[in-house]
């Protein structure tokens, strides 16, 4: 190792932290140009026989100096003879999140796009970051999972995230940077008390330091205990979901009858874990109570909805359904199609035409130039194959138990303005193949 080590960043410590990742395809480094990421990058470069190292710089485009920071990072990467990936992101300023949280979401979304299955993406988060994160989450009313703060490693996209400096205090990182004469960026926004984390760091924690000098280590131990508690909660939730017939693999529905048999704390615990399996944001405790009160207590024919951010929980029949908020669609839009290949429907999925024999639409009866795909406008009627008479589309969709939020999105295949098929649910009488004729079957990818 060519760098100068500084207690407690020792060669032994670094080996312990980095040995699990020596077989990775690449070592990616979240490189903002700040002191933490500079120290991390310097440590990684100094490791013998390391995998290829790539710095990853995210430009949030929120400050006038953003472009200068990007150029600084590119210059430093060139000086260190390592590759660098720079990504510009658009932070959603209307998401309802704080600016800090919105920037974090944009940043991590960008990271996921470049992480390969055998990559490890390293972050320079340290002990002070851990303590700040824990306190901020506690102030927001987080439970054991939030109070566990940041894990030292976890999955990220198809790869892995690692934080090897999580036990190192900020003071040691700054000492290391000074001794090794590193060049880093000082972000002036880190001094703004408008941000909660800065207020905590600059105004609150110095008082902690005077009263309880060892608070960092104490709160770090508390975070580990909360991590253990959160893990036990997850194990219990996995058992409860398994008894409901929900496997550890992602499932978008929960049976209400079985969920209702649990105590309220276990219902909330199961719902949190269920959302985690589906990679959906966890709601607040108040929102979880609303889910239980509205969805579990509703009539079986009711369709209540509870939502937060881009997450929606609905009741349909005897199940809780989890989903992301659907994008608006143009219900008046019409598409020309010749019943071949795949037809993409803007914010309404896609239709796939498959060749078949003895079933499907009798395409030989059609002039494809007069075939149109459209959506419900209200009042439509049709007669599914083998039915004795026609019925309103509204009643048929209820009978086929299509989810209410999909009923205005299901594509209707029209020939000369007559409905000949409804998505992949049914074909209308008179338009089906007979015997072993060649036909076209449809799949509606929602």
């Amino acid at each position: 190792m060519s760098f100068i080590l500084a207690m407690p960043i020792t060669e032994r410590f670094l080996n312990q932290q980095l040995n699990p990742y020596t077989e990775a395809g690449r070592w990616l480094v979240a490189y903002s140009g700040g002191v933490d990421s500079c120290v991390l990058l310097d440590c990684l470069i100094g490791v013998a026989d390391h995998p290829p190292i790539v710095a990853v710089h995210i430009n949030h485009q929120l400050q006038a100096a953003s472009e200068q920071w990007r150029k600084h990072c590119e210059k430093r990467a060139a000086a260190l003879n390592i590759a660098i990936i720079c990504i510009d992101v658009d932070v959603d300023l209307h998401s309802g999140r704080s600016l800090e949280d919105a920037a974090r979401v944009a940043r991590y979304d960008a990271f996921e796009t470049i992480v390969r299955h055998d990559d490890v993406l390293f972050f320079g988060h340290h002990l002070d970051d851990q303590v700040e994160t824990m306190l901020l989450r506690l102030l927001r009313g987080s439970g054991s999972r939030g109070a566990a703060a940041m894990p030292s490693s976890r999955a990220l996209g198809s790869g892995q995230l690692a934080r090897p400096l999580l036990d190192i205090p900020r003071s040691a990182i700054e000492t290391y940077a000074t001794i090794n004469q590193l060049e880093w960026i000082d972000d002036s926004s880190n001094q703004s008390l408008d941000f909660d984390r800065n207020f905590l760091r600059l105004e609150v924690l110095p008082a902690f330091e005077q009263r309880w000098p060892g608070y960092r280590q104490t709160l770090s131990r508390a975070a580990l205990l909360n991590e253990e508690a959160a893990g036990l909660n997850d194990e219990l939730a996995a058992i409860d979901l398994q008894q409901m017939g929900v496997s550890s693999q992602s499932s978008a529905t929960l049976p209400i009858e079985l969920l209702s048999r649990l105590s309220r704390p276990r219902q909330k615990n199961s719902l949190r874990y269920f959302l985690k399996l589906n990679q959906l944001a966890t709601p607040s405790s108040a929102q979880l109570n609303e889910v239980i009160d509205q969805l579990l207590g509703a009539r079986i024919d009711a369709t209540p909805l509870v939502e937060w951010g881009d997450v929606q929980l609905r009741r349909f029949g005897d199940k809780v359904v989890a989903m992301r908020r659907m994008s608006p669609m143009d219900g008046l839009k019409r598409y020309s199609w010749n019943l071949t290949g795949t037809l993409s429907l803007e914010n309404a999925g896609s239709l796939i035409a498959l060749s078949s024999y003895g079933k499907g639409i009798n395409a030989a009866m059609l002039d494809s130039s007069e075939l149109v795909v459209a959506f419900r406008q209200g009042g439509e009627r049709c007669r599914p194959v083998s039915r004795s008479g026609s019925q309103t589309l509204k009643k048929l969709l209820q009978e086929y138990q299509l989810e209410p939020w999909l009923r205005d999105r299901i594509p209707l295949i029209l020939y000369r303005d007559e409905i000949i098929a409804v998505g992949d649910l049914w074909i209308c009488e008179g338009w089906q193949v007979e015997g072993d004729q060649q036909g076209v079957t449809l799949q509606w990818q929602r």
Side-chain angles (χ1 to χ4, degrees):
M1 296 187 176
S2 60
F3 49 80
I4 303 172
L5 296 168
M7 291 294 291
I9 305 178
T10 65
E11 183 172 354
R12 179 180 178 184
F13 170 82
L14 289 174
N15 286 335
Q16 288 176 338
Q17 296 297 314
L18 300 175
N19 276 346
Y21 310 113
T22 53
E23 301 300 319
R26 296 185 300 175
W27 281 0
L28 307 180
V29 184
Y31 184 47
S32 67
V35 64
D36 308 334
S37 61
C38 286
V39 168
L40 174 62
L41 182 57
D42 197 65
C43 289
L44 296 180
I45 290 173
V47 174
D49 302 321
H50 57 70
I53 294 176
V54 180
V56 183
H57 177 76
I58 305 297
N59 181 3
H60 299 90
Q61 306 182 88
L62 294 174
Q63 298 193 50
S66 295
E67 188 64 18
Q68 295 177 6
W69 295 344
R70 180 185 65 79
K71 291 178 179 179
H72 167 88
C73 291
E74 289 176 334
K75 180 180 178 181
R76 292 303 307 150
L80 295 168
N81 196 29
I82 62 168
I84 185 169
I85 299 172
C86 295
I87 304 175
D88 293 342
V89 298
D90 294 317
V91 178
D92 185 355
L93 302 179
H94 306 289
S95 64
R97 300 183 177 94
S98 69
L99 181 60
E100 296 164 283
D101 287 343
R104 180 185 180 279
V105 168
R107 183 165 63 249
Y108 276 78
D109 285 349
F111 285 138
E112 289 195 18
T113 65
I114 62 168
V115 176
R116 303 171 187 166
H117 75 279
D118 58 349
D119 285 343
V120 179
L121 176 59
F122 290 99
F123 286 78
H125 296 128
H126 47 67
L127 182 58
D128 290 74
D129 291 325
Q130 180 76 308
V131 168
E132 292 163 10
T133 298
M134 178 186 182
L135 289 174
L136 286 170
R137 291 181 179 177
L138 286 173
L139 289 168
R140 293 168 186 161
S142 294
S144 58
R145 174 60 64 193
M150 296 180 288
S152 58
S153 64
R154 67 171 177 84
L156 179 71
S158 58
Q160 190 172 8
L161 174 157
R163 298 181 173 101
L165 303 181
L166 205 53
D167 293 329
I168 304 297
R170 179 184 290 111
S171 59
I173 287 175
E174 292 173 346
T175 298
Y176 178 105
T178 301
I179 291 175
N180 286 277
Q181 299 181 334
L182 302 184
E183 297 180 27
W184 66 88
I185 296 167
D186 283 319
D187 182 353
S188 60
S189 69
N190 288 334
Q191 302 303 311
S192 171
L193 298 182
D194 292 337
F195 299 107
D196 291 342
R197 184 177 291 271
N198 291 348
F199 180 81
L200 191 64
R201 179 188 305 139
L202 300 174
E203 298 290 321
V204 178
L205 293 181
F208 272 43
E209 181 82 46
Q210 290 184 352
R211 182 75 176 185
W212 301 286
Y215 78 90
R216 294 176 181 84
Q217 290 73 22
T218 302
L219 291 180
S220 180
R221 288 196 301 273
L224 289 175
L225 292 174
N226 279 301
E227 178 66 27
E228 291 179 4
L232 290 173
N233 286 338
D234 282 354
E235 289 183 20
L236 176 61
I239 293 171
D240 286 340
L241 262 61
Q242 186 176 33
Q243 292 177 345
M244 296 180 212
V246 179
S247 71
S248 59
Q249 300 300 315
S250 177
S251 173
T253 63
L254 280 179
I256 286 178
E257 180 183 356
L258 297 179
L259 184 61
S260 298
R261 295 177 186 175
L262 301 177
S263 67
R264 196 176 187 93
R266 284 176 72 169
Q267 288 173 349
K268 293 165 75 171
N269 188 49
S270 295
L271 285 166
R272 288 191 190 97
Y273 189 69
F274 168 64
L275 291 165
K276 178 181 175 182
L277 288 180
N278 283 279
Q279 299 182 340
L280 297 172
T282 304
S284 67
S285 181
Q287 288 165 331
L288 271 180
N289 283 324
E290 186 181 0
V291 168
I292 293 170
D293 293 339
Q294 289 201 26
L295 272 61
L296 272 62
R299 303 188 318 272
I300 194 167
D301 60 343
T303 56
L305 164 67
V306 179
E307 53 189 338
W308 58 92
D310 66 342
V311 180
Q312 295 182 330
L313 281 190
R314 299 173 179 267
R315 175 166 182 158
F316 181 57
D318 60 355
K319 296 185 182 300
V320 172
V321 181
M323 57 190 292
R324 296 192 185 278
R325 187 191 305 273
M326 294 185 293
S327 300
M329 60 162 283
D330 182 0
L332 298 176
K333 192 164 185 176
R334 297 164 71 91
Y335 300 81
S336 298
W337 195 34
N338 60 2
L339 283 183
T340 61
T342 299
L343 174 66
S344 294
L345 307 168
E346 186 177 355
N347 295 330
S350 60
L351 274 174
I352 302 173
L354 302 173
S355 181
S356 59
Y357 289 90
K359 61 180 180 179
I361 299 170
N362 189 344
M365 299 173 60
L366 307 174
D367 177 354
S368 62
S369 67
E370 298 188 70
L371 199 68
V372 171
V373 176
F375 303 96
R376 287 180 63 199
Q377 303 301 312
E380 297 91 350
R381 301 180 67 90
C382 66
R383 177 187 172 193
V385 170
S386 301
R387 297 287 286 259
S388 59
S390 69
Q391 185 57 273
T392 65
L393 199 55
K394 178 180 179 180
K395 288 188 177 296
L396 287 169
L397 292 174
Q398 292 172 344
E399 180 183 329
Y400 276 75
Q401 296 189 325
L402 182 67
E403 295 90 335
W405 52 92
L406 295 178
R407 291 174 189 172
D408 288 334
R409 292 173 180 257
I410 189 167
L412 312 179
I413 295 81
L414 308 178
Y415 184 64
R416 296 174 180 169
D417 288 331
E418 178 182 349
I419 299 175
I420 67 171
V422 177
D424 52 7
L425 296 184
W426 70 79
I427 298 170
C428 296
E429 182 63 48
W431 299 100
Q432 72 274 26
V433 298
E434 301 290 346
D436 60 354
Q437 288 180 307
Q438 184 175 359
V440 176
T441 57
L442 301 178
Q443 289 182 359
W444 178 35
Q445 300 289 340
R446 293 144 168 86

